[in-house]
């Protein structure tokens, strides 16, 4: 089987629940059904994956692992895996969660997951495993099968099970079952529908819906409010949104961080212009910052390009402005989020940390440049 769909749509949960039912059913008939469930996310190579499978089975049946983690061939590990399975299970399902992350180290070769799928799904045909073998691969990636080698595809040849985003009603049912996380009567009537609506609107991810639900409760708790109300949900959602855009900043290149930092400092430290930043002023401050931390200096065009790019992330909005007769055009940047929070996130970066102590000087640079610009 191939279970695929976006994050938080219940793939891992459902496969676990369904296989547990099969285990129970088989047990009542004296059959030994093995569930070998691994998450591929922390695993780097095919060899490690096979070892992880051996370990999981050994653990489940209380047997010796029987092979060392390193120093023996992958083939030996496969052999030990089959041996353990034949000895302890009548039939088996391999669950390979987040399988698309098992790519292996060698980039030009068939990916590790493709090799693993090939081996496991034909193990019953080749009599390496005596009983029935099923393989369930779980992934977010809808194009996952495109990178599977032809041989692997024909032996794995899965039935697709698609997990779509949850809608508001489904999310509401899921959250209903978690009411017991709250004190009796702590939830006002609008909380559950609102959490479900927010979550359905923005992602359909049950994990995030549960986080929002809990977040609203935590907020009420922090404030010693007896009840969780609509406002707690709204504020909790705002926190989550804010956090998301700040996280995004961490992934920017140093040059983009400097550009954003300089621009944000104009919005935050200026005594004059509120929160909008004319690009010529932002660029002057950018030049000052690059000098201070001894970084490369890009052209004004590049600076503007970087900052405009940030508008696609929703951190800022941009507008073209005219300086009036003969004055030419410039861009004006307006922050949607809090510039101060962005600056703080940026100076977490070691390279830019040095600038954090110089806020006074930075402020005078900002205001001098603004005065110059508005002259
Ligand atoms: N139908 C459901 N009923 C109750 N809880 C659910 C349901 N679907 C998902 N959840 C809960 O939502 C969270 C995310 O579900 P799960 O981990 O199964 O998602 P997933 O599809 O495997 O996501 P990912 O692709 O990120 O691995 C879990 O806490 C799970 O218990
Ligand atoms: Mg999962």
């Amino acid at each position: 089987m191939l279970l695929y769909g976006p994050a938080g749509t219940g793939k891992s949960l459902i496969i676990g629940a369904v296989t547990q039912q099969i285990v129970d059913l088989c047990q009542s008939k004296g059959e030994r059904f093995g569930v070998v469930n691994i998450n591929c996310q922390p695993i780097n190579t095919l060899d490690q994956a096979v070892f992880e499978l051996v370990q999981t089975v050994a653990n489940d049946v209380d047997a010796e692992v029987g092979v060392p983690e390193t120093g023996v061939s992958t083939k030996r590990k496969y052999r030990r895996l089959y041996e353990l399975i034949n000895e302890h299970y009548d039939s088996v399902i391999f669950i390979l969660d987040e399988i698309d992350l098992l790519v292996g180290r060698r980039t030009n070769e068939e990916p590790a997951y493709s090799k693993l799928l090939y081996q496991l799904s034909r193990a019953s045909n080749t009599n390496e495993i005596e009983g029935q073998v099923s393989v369930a691969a779980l992934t977010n990636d809808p194009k996952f099968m495109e990178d599977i080698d032809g041989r692997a595809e024909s032996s794995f040849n899965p039935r697709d099970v698609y997990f779509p985003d949850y809608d508001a009603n489904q999310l509401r049912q899921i959250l209903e079952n978690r009411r017991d996380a709250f004190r009796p009567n702590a939830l006002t009537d609008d909380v559950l529908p609102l959490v479900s609506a927010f979550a359905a609107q923005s992602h359909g991810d049950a994990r995030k819906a549960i986080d929002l639900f809990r977040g609203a409760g935590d907020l009420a708790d922090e404030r010693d409010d007896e009840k969780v109300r609509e406002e707690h949900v709204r504020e909790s959602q705002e926190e989550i949104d804010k956090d998301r855009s700040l996280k995004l900043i961490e992934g920017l290149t140093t040059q983009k961080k400097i550009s954003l930092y300089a621009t944000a400092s104009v919005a935050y430290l200026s005594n004059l212009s509120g929160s909008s930043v004319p690009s010529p002023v932002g660029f002057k401050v950018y030049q000052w910052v690059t000098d201070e931390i001894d970084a490369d200096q890009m052209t004004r065009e590049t600076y503007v390009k970087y900052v405009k790019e940030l508008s696609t992330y929703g951190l800022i909005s941009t507008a073209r402005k005219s300086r009036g007769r003969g004055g030419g055009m410039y861009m004006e940047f307006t922050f949607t989020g809090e510039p101060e929070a962005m600056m703080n996130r940026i100076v977490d970066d070691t390279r830019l940390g040095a600038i954090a102590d110089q806020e006074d000087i930075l402020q005078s640079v900002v205001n001098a440049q603004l005065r110059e610009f508005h002259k």
Side-chain angles (χ1 to χ4, degrees), residues 82 242 302 310 353:
Y82 299 151
K242 203 156 75 185
T302 307
L310 298 167

Side-chain angles (χ1 to χ4, degrees), residues 11-13 39 97-98 138 207:
K11 299 178 293 296
S12 304
L13 178 79
N39 189 308
D97 205 344
E98 312 212 34
L138 278 59
R207 187 180 296 118

